[in-house]
Each structure stands twice: as structure tokens, then as C-alpha cells.
């Protein structure tokens, strides 16, 4: 599906025009020139050995080894899930190393910011807290977490946080996750030439690896990040390329890790560096983010976001980015030749990710984190002095983020009685029709942000509470949907809830590893009672309208395995096999109570979402959803807004907190 329209983001369109005038290529122009390989995109290219690559284009055709379409499509899906699970989990592992280094005194710039969460995580992992200092406990929790990635025996400790019924399903389907490293290795082994060949058997292992990601690697990544940098609470900031400042040094952090970017934020406030910036003619140092590093910093520190995945090149095209600091994942290789055309310093920092070209290499070390961060800022300041023409699109939108599941529970129940009861009651009464999670990327083969926006708007209009993560959440932020005022676009029931609780109709829950927060929330909703004994009864759906990364496939699979149906849009990478297509929808529904479907059209995704939600409501014996039943209040929206006090959220975790 190649869209005529390239983006609905006015700032992206403005920068694209400049890029075109200057003859600069971007992902948009490259996608237009480079047609997707029709065989690969259908999942029908097998390159797992060198007798091929085999292209199964004719009906009944098999590969040189005899592999069928079913085998090839299933193997390709499984390998993609392994890639995605590896990305999330390897990220989580590094956070554990930081926690251990902190406890051993090797990471002096870090401290435990959420000791309560540390104690809770110790409980999940069976680590005793008795007689331990915070640092001592951090070390033990770090080591126990690390052990979860590579444990050779037993099962992932965190999987016990899932509803009991889900765990029973996993045991029965033989997908109970053991350890994420092991599950990924086993996928690679099973899909090696001449090994596992039965499509459903291959996909069994794919599901086990995905569950190990969701309930293991990703959940540990989220929890350890919260321990180190604070559990997010509602916080207001801004989203859009207009967050770049013409008269300040602009430093963009891009990628996925909070570890060095948190230090970079501190470095931007360093008096000496601020003086240096002023000496070069800048009025200050402005830090902004792109992709999930941005989400990590927005959620906890309120750092503004310049854009999502497809904004990364366009930010440089503004001529106003003095340094772009990249760590891991979703970083386009094209950034290096592009930044070469500008004054921008492209700084690579991860020991796992380097880029060819004129880049600055500042490899992250825990023991010198702040020192490296200051060096990064210094590069940005030096580059500022070399700026040429600057064209910053003048558009930025206020947004509220920070909705960890802990904060949602707090906002629904209060400090002493945090609970999801209000959510469950609202679904039971029909005030809320259900819930949806919209997640995932941008993909230049579909109109940038259009799917995220259109689906989110339609769902809230239909009284579906929406939670978002990743680039989808950034898209919602750009168009004002993360502000409480967006409740004006919500259906009557959802609007009443937003008014009462003081939340936007769309809740930003974090980065892509933070989809694990959604799993925890669903487990707590089930434990609260009234809308199902397991997640496969809860009226909720997951959607990925503009996905492109392997991580999206891992997320979709673990969400399905956890009982919530998922709808992904273009591209349908299992279309090459009807058998596999049916298996991951109907077959997985039999095993886990939820299936994975690919639907290309946005409106059809919405229709199907509501159909699933309504069917689940009916199965629970709840009354059919009726939009006319609630919101009988005679106060109009305009009257309410005139009388309303402005909604101001305090930043709960400050950088100076102990
Ligand atoms: O992990 S949503 S484009 S940035 S992969 Fe990448 Fe996709 Fe964005 Fe975050 Ni997630």
C-alpha cells in the first residue's frame, strides 16, 4: 500500500520540501524509488542456507531442500520475532549491568531514584531485602535480573505476574517462557537448514520467545529503568519539530536507551557548558528527543520531543540540529551522509552500534557517563558556531505523558487506594466500551502518522480508552491528543471519565519496551475482577497501524499470547501462506484466546477493533454499548472549559531527588 500523501505532519512536509529543493534524499524519497520486494514482503523468500535464496512464487513450489510455503513463511516470521525480542531484551540486560555497576560503586553518576520499585522488583524476583542497604539491594536485584536473561533451568520469574489462566494456557500450549536468551537461540537453531519444518511447531517457539520478551526482557528493561531513573508520573511537555530553538544549541537524543541520555540532560544544565554556549552566541542549550530515547526522557523528565521515526532525517534538514546523539535501534544509516551535508555532529555512543561516515564516536562507559555526556554537549556547542541556514518549522504542541501503570492506578484510585476498579466498573457499566493499545512505528510506505491519528480519533469517539507507546504515542502528541482538552473529541462516556479523573482520553505509556507496562496493567485489571478471569475476556485490542520493525512483531505476538487480539496494518508478511495466516489468527485464538490479524485499511482496523470489543462485552454478559446512556449533564463543553481550572501536572521525580 503506497500512499499518495507522504505525511500529515505539517513540519515534516515543510522539511521535505526543503530537502527536495536541495536535492537531498530521505526515507520518503527512497521508499518511492525503491519498490518493496514482492517476494520478500509476502514472506516467501528463504535465505536460510546457500542452496538458495529460494523464491517460492508459483503455487505448490518448494525450495531446493523441499521447504514449503508454510515452512518458509513461518520461519521468516519466527526469525523476525527473534530479532525483535533480542532488541528489547539486550537493551534490558544493559540496564541490569548499570544497576550492578551502581551498587559496586563503578557508576558514580547513577543512583537509585525509585527505592520503592526496587523493593517491589526484589519481591518479584525472590530477592530478600532483609538488612540490606539500597545499594546492596540494587546489586542483588541487578544480578537476579541478569540471571533471568540467561537462566538455563526453570522459567522466567516475571511470568508469574501474568493472570493464572494465561499461565495455564502457556503450559498447555508448551510456550511457558524459560529465558529470553534461550528462546531466541532456539528460534535460530530451529530455523537453521534441515531442522524444524512444521509451521505450527516453529510458531510455537516464536510465541515462546515473544512471551520471554514481553514478560521477561522488556518488563525487566522497564522496571530497572524505573529503579534507576524514576517511575513516570504525569508530566507536561511539547511535541513537534518546533521544539528546536533557533537561538540555542540544539542537541537531539535518538534511539532507545535512557542511560546516557539522562546524563546528557544533566550536562545541558552544567553552568560551565552554559557559559561556553553563551560565548558562542547561543542563549542556552536545548535538549530534545526522537523515537524511544525521547519517550524515555519525556516520560520521566518532561524533555520535549522533536518527532518520531520518520522525523529523524527531517530534523537535520532544518539546519538547527547541532548534535544528534544516537544509541541503539531505529537509527537510519542515512543520517551519516545527511549530517555530512550540514554542520550537525552525528555522535554514536553504543558499543553495539556504530555508523560508517563522518561521525563522532563517544562510546558509553558507565563509570564515565556524565563526563561523556559533557563531551557530547561540548560537540554540540562547537557545531552551533558553524551553523548555516536554519529553517525550523514553527509548530509544536503541548502534551501530557508519564502514564506508567502505577500512575494510572493512582489517578483512578488515589494515593492510598490505587486501583483499576474505576476502569473495570466503567467497562461493566458501558461508560467505556473497552480499551485499545495503539503502538509501533512509522513506515514510509504508508502516510506518516495518518494511521495513528485516524484510528486513535475514531476509537476515542467510540468511548474506547486508548493507551499508546513508541512512535504512535509521539504521533498522538503532535496532534494534541495527549492533552486533557482532547476529551472534547471523545465519546460521552469516555469524556465523563476524563473529566472526573482529569486525564486525557489517550494515555502515553512510554517507549516500546514499555509495552510491558500494558501487560502489567492488563494483569491488574484481571485481578481487580468483573471483566474476565483472564485477559482473553477483557474487551481490549492492540493495534500497530504503521509498523515496520521486527520489535513490533515480537510485541504483537506476546500481546496475543497474553490474551489480547492484535491487528497490524501493511505490510502483511504472512500473506504468502494462507495456512500460516489462519494459524496465527484462528489457531492462536484457540490456544491463547486471541489472534493476530493483518488488515490494510485504517477504517477497517477500527471496525474490526469495535467488533472484537463488542463480542467480548457480549461474552461477558455485559449490556451492549449504548453511547446515549451517559453524559446527560446539561453543561456544554465550552461552559465547562470556561469554568475549569487549568490542568497542571507536577513533575513528581526531579533530577535532584534522592
Ligand atoms: O521502539 S515504534 S520506529 S522508535 S521500533 Fe522504532 Fe518502531 Fe518507533 Fe521505539 Ni518501537
Amino acid at each position: 500500500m503506497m500512499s499518495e500523501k507522504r505525511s500529515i505532519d505539517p513540519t515534516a512536509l515543510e522539511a521535505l520540501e526543503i530537502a527536495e529543493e536541495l536535492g537531498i534524499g530521505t526515507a520518503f524519497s527512497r521508499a518511492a524509488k525503491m519498490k518493496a520486494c514482492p517476494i520478500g514482503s509476502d514472506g516467501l523468500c528463504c535465505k536460510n542456507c546457500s542452496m538458495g535464496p529460494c523464491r517460492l512464487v508459483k503455487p505448490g513450489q518448494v525450495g531446493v531442500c523441499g521447504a514449503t510455503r508454510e515452512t518458509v513463511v513461518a520461519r521468516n516470521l519466527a526469525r523476525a520475532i527473534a530479532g525483535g525480542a533480542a532488541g528489547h531484551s539486550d537493551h534490558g540486560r544493559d540496564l541490569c549491568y548499570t544497576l550492578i555497576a551502581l551498587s559496586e560503586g563503578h557508576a558514580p553518576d547513577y543512583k537509585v531514584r525509585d527505592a520503592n520499585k526496587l523493593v517491589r522488583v526484589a519481591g518479584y524476583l525472590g530477592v530478600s531485602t532483609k538488612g540490606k542497604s539500597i545499594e546492596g539491594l540494587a546489586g542483588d536485584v541487578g544480578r537476579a535480573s541478569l540471571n533471568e536473561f540467561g537462566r538455563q533451568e526453570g522459567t522466567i520469574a516475571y511470568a508469574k505476574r501474568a493472570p493464572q489462566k494465561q499461565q495455564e494456557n502457556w503450559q498447555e500450549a508448551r510456550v511457558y517462557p524459560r529465558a529470553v536468551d534461550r528462546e531466541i537461540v532456539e528460534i535460530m537453531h530451529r530455523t537453521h537448514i534441515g531442522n524444524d519444518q512444521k509451521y505450527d511447531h516453529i510458531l510455537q517457539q516464536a510465541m515462546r520467545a515473544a512471551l520471554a520478551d514481553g514478560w521477561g526482557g522488556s518488563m525487566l528493561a522497564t522496571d530497572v529503568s524505573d529503579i534507576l531513573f524514576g517511575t513516570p508520573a504525569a508530566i507536561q511537555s511539547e511535541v513537534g519539530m518546533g521544539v528546536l530553538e533557533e537561538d540555542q544549541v540544539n542537541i537531539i537524543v535518538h534511539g532507545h536507551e535512557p542511560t546516557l541520555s539522562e546524563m546528557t540532560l544533566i550536562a545541558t544544565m552544567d553552568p560551565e557548558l552554559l557559559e561556553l554556549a553563551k560565548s558562542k552566541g547561543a542563549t542556552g542549550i536545548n535538549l530534545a528527543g526522537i523515537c524511544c530515547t525521547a519517550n524515555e526522557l519525556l516520560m520521566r523528565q518532561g524533555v520535549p520531543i522533536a518527532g518520531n521515526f520518520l522525523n529523524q532525517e527531517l530534523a537535520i534538514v532544518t539546519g538547527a540540529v547541532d548534535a544528534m546523539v544516537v544509541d541503539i535501534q531505529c537509527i537510519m544509516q542515512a543520517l551519516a551522509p545527511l549530517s555530512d551535508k550540514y554542520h550537525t555532529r552525528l555522535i554514536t555512543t553504543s558499543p553495539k552500534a556504530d555508523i560508517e561516515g563522518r561521525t563522532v564516536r563517544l562510546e558509553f562507559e558507565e563509570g564515565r557517563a556524565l563526563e561523556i555526556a559533557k563531551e557530547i554537549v561540548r560537540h554540540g556547542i562547537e557545531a552551533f558556531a558553524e551553523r548555516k541556514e536554519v529553517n525550523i518549522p514553527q509548530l509544536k504542541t503541548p502534551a501530557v505523558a508519564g502514564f506508567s501503570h502505577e500512575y494510572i492506578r493512582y489517578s483512578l484510585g488515589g494515593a492510598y487506594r490505587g486501583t483499576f476498579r474505576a476502569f473495570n466498573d466503567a467497562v461493566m457499566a458501558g461508560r467505556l466500551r473497552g480499551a485499545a493499545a495503539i503502538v509501533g512505528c512509522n513506515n514510509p510506505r504508508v502516510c506518516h502518522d495518518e494511521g495513528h491519528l485516524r484510528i486513535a480519533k475514531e476509537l476515542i469517539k467510540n468511548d474506547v480508552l486508548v493507551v499508546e507507546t513508541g512512535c504512535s504515542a509521539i504521533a498522538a502528541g503532535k496532534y494534541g491528543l495527549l492533552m486533557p482538552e482532547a476529551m472534547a473529541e471523545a465519546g460521552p462516556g469516555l469524556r465523563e471519565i476524563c473529566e472526573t479523573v482529569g486525564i486525557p482520553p489517550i494515555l502515553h505509556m512510554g517507549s516500546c519496551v514499555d509495552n510491558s507496562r500494558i501487560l502489567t496493567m492488563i494483569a491488574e485489571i484481571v485481578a481487580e475482577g468483573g471483566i474476565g478471569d483472564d485477559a482473553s475476556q477483557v474487551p481490549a485490542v492492540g493495534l500497530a497501524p504503521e509498523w515496520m520493525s521486527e520489535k513490533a512483531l515480537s510485541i504483537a505476538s506476546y500481546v496475543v499470547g497474553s490474551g489480547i487480539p492484535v491487528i497490524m496494518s501493511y505490510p502483511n508478511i504472512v500473506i504468502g501462506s494462507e495456512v500460516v495466516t489462519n494459524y496465527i489468527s484462528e489457531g492462536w485464538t484457540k490456544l491463547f484466546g486471541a489472534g493476530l490479524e493483518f488488515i490494510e485499511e485504517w477504517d477497517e482496523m477500527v471496525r474490526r477493533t469495535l467488533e472484537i470489543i463488542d463480542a467480548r462485552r457480549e461474552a461477558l454478559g455485559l449490556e451492549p454499548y449504548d453511547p446515549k446512556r451517559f453524559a446527560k449533564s446539561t453543561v456544554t463543553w465550552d461552559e465547562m472549559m470556561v469554568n475549569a481550572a487549568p490542568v497542571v501536572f507536577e513533575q513528581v521525580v526531579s533530577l535532584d531527588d534522592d
Side-chain angles (χ1 to χ4, degrees):
M1 180 172 64
M2 175 64 76
S3 176
E4 288 300 307
K5 250 190 309 169
R6 292 178 298 179
S7 178
I8 57 163
D9 174 351
T11 70
L13 292 171
E14 198 176 321
L16 269 172
E17 245 173 64
I18 295 170
E20 263 148 36
E21 270 167 32
L22 299 174
I24 290 172
T26 62
F28 293 89
S29 62
R30 291 189 296 274
K33 276 191 212 132
M34 164 89 63
K35 273 184 80 181
C37 165
I39 304 157
S41 62
D42 288 357
L44 289 171
C45 174
C46 183
K47 46 186 176 59
N48 293 16
C49 82
S50 292
M51 294 190 289
C54 296
R55 309 175 315 158
L56 309 190
V57 285
K58 295 183 197 135
Q61 197 175 16
V62 296
V64 174
C65 71
T68 61
R69 280 179 165 234
E70 284 62 58
T71 306
V72 170
V73 170
R75 278 204 300 228
N76 285 334
L77 176 58
R79 281 203 167 195
I81 289 171
H88 283 148
S89 302
D90 211 31
H91 164 174
R93 185 199 324 269
D94 282 347
L95 288 155
C96 299
Y97 281 123
T98 304
L99 193 60
I100 295 168
L102 169 163
S103 78
E104 293 174 350
H106 304 315
D109 304 321
Y110 297 95
K111 49 190 170 185
V112 169
R113 288 192 191 277
D114 191 341
N116 289 332
K117 187 132 190 184
L118 175 68
V119 170
R120 271 206 311 282
V121 169
Y124 298 139
L125 295 170
V127 173
S128 164
T129 57
K130 218 169 167 193
K132 288 177 188 166
S133 65
I134 294 288
E135 286 72 27
L137 183 60
D140 289 349
V141 164
R143 280 180 286 274
S145 306
L146 202 54
N147 196 36
E148 287 296 303
F149 291 85
R151 67 156 64 233
Q152 299 301 315
E153 288 174 338
T155 51
I156 287 177
Y158 265 29
K160 293 191 180 55
R161 293 171 64 178
Q164 188 57 34
K165 181 73 186 7
Q166 241 79 48
Q167 294 185 53
E168 286 163 16
N169 288 344
W170 298 343
Q171 294 285 12
E172 220 168 289
R174 298 176 65 194
V175 298
Y176 204 103
R178 298 163 301 182
V180 71
D181 291 0
R182 180 175 179 182
E183 307 307 1
I184 293 165
V185 166
E186 193 169 319
I187 285 189
M188 299 311 282
H189 179 195
R190 285 200 198 195
T191 55
H192 182 273
I193 163 73
N195 208 9
D196 205 4
Q197 290 156 28
K198 228 170 145 245
Y199 71 90
D200 53 344
H201 201 246
I202 295 166
L203 293 173
Q204 176 195 49
Q205 181 55 23
M207 178 56 84
R208 185 152 52 179
L211 289 169
D213 171 4
W215 293 91
S218 282
M219 205 171 273
L220 281 163
T222 297
D223 280 358
V224 177
S225 297
D226 286 353
I227 291 169
L228 284 167
F229 306 114
T231 301
I235 189 164
Q236 187 167 335
S237 186
E238 289 172 321
V239 181
M241 291 219 282
V243 303
L244 296 170
E245 299 285 354
E246 186 142 8
D247 54 356
Q248 294 193 34
V249 175
N250 289 307
I251 298 175
I252 295 264
V253 284
H254 169 27
H256 285 77
E257 292 181 329
T259 331
L260 183 55
S261 45
E262 283 270 348
M263 292 301 125
T264 309
L265 174 61
I266 294 173
T268 60
M269 301 173 208
D270 182 273
E272 238 175 73
L273 291 171
L274 284 166
E275 269 314 304
L276 182 64
K278 280 184 193 145
S279 74
K280 305 280 181 191
T283 59
I285 306 169
N286 178 38
L287 187 74
I290 281 183
C291 285
C292 284
T293 300
N295 282 324
E296 297 277 352
L297 284 188
L298 168 73
M299 289 285 285
R300 298 192 180 90
Q301 313 298 354
V303 168
I305 291 192
N308 45 11
F309 179 69
L310 281 177
N311 289 101
Q312 61 184 285
E313 293 172 290
L314 305 178
I316 292 181
V317 170
T318 64
V321 175
D322 303 303
M324 183 175 276
V325 192
V326 298
D327 48 59
I328 51 163
Q329 300 168 19
C330 305
I331 296 146
M332 291 189 196
Q333 191 161 350
L335 290 181
L338 176 63
S339 58
D340 211 13
K341 294 190 171 71
Y342 289 83
H343 74 297
T344 309
R345 303 281 195 278
L346 181 65
I347 304 176
T348 65
T349 59
S350 169
K352 292 171 194 165
D354 201 356
I355 305 180
E356 190 70 43
R358 191 187 61 87
T359 60
V360 178
R361 181 89 179 135
L362 288 174
E363 201 170 294
F364 174 64
E365 291 168 46
E366 272 128 2
R368 296 198 309 119
L370 189 54
E371 192 186 322
I372 295 168
K374 285 182 183 175
E375 221 173 310
I376 287 170
V377 175
R378 228 170 265 123
H379 274 284
I381 295 169
E382 273 169 27
F384 176 84
E386 298 163 20
R387 265 196 204 172
K388 294 184 192 99
E389 197 186 332
V390 167
N391 293 292
I392 302 173
Q394 293 304 310
L395 187 63
K396 56 184 176 181
T397 310
V400 177
F403 289 93
S404 56
H405 56 87
E406 288 93 337
Y407 187 79
I408 299 175
R409 199 175 46 206
Y410 158 76
S411 49
L412 293 177
Y416 298 103
R417 267 202 221 155
T419 173
F420 281 93
R421 190 67 255 159
F423 172 84
N424 291 23
D425 285 347
V427 172
M428 289 163 75
R431 189 170 259 116
L432 278 183
R433 192 167 182 173
I438 310 179
V439 307
C441 325
N442 299 134
N443 185 330
R445 301 209 180 269
V446 298
C447 179
H448 174 214
D449 287 348
E450 188 185 36
H452 294 303
L453 183 69
R454 188 128 140 212
I455 291 173
K457 278 184 148 187
E458 275 307 306
L459 290 178
I460 62 171
K461 202 196 291 172
N462 279 280
D463 286 318
V464 174
L465 177 72
V466 171
V467 296
E468 300 208 13
T469 58
C471 289
S472 185
I474 299 175
K478 285 183 203 174
Y479 309 103
L481 293 178
L482 298 183
M483 287 303 285
E485 288 80 355
M487 67 178 88
E489 302 208 31
L494 174 58
R495 204 184 91 190
E496 277 189 344
I497 292 185
C498 294
E499 286 166 2
T500 310
V501 181
I503 54 171
I506 298 181
L507 306 178
H508 187 333
M509 289 191 77
S511 63
C512 277
V513 291
D514 291 339
N515 282 308
S516 66
R517 295 191 200 277
I518 299 175
L519 295 182
T520 309
M521 187 172 87
I522 290 282
E524 294 193 13
I525 284 168
V526 170
E528 192 59 49
I531 49 174
D533 302 329
D534 74 37
S536 71
Q537 291 173 282
V538 176
V541 174
L543 301 110
E546 301 179 30
W547 78 279
M548 64 86 203
S549 89
E550 291 174 324
K551 290 187 292 172
L553 290 166
S554 182
I555 295 164
S557 303
Y558 72 62
V559 170
V560 164
S562 304
I564 305 295
V566 172
I567 306 170
M568 300 183 87
S569 180
Y570 172 93
N572 177 351
I573 56 154
V574 295
I575 202 168
S577 165
E578 212 183 312
V579 175
V580 171
T581 301
N582 291 338
Y583 182 74
I584 61 172
S585 54
E586 288 150 34
W588 275 355
T589 301
K590 280 192 198 119
L591 294 173
F592 310 114
L596 174 58
E597 296 173 31
F598 287 86
I599 296 175
E600 202 165 294
E601 299 302 329
W602 318 129
D603 295 344
E604 179 57 15
M605 286 175 86
V606 171
R607 191 203 62 75
R608 178 71 182 131
T609 300
L610 296 176
E611 183 177 72
I612 293 170
I613 285 175
D614 289 345
R616 286 189 165 201
R617 292 187 62 86
E618 194 183 341
L620 284 167
L622 302 176
E623 279 191 42
Y625 162 72
D626 175 6
K628 296 197 193 77
R629 190 152 6 127
F630 294 100
K632 297 264 193 282
S633 151
T634 52
V635 181
T636 66
W637 169 257
D638 288 340
E639 284 164 350
M640 197 187 78
M641 289 317 287
V642 165
N643 296 325
V647 182
V648 178
F649 289 102
E650 291 294 330
Q651 181 172 347
V652 170
V653 183
S654 96
L655 282 174
D656 299 325
D657 278 352
D658 278 319

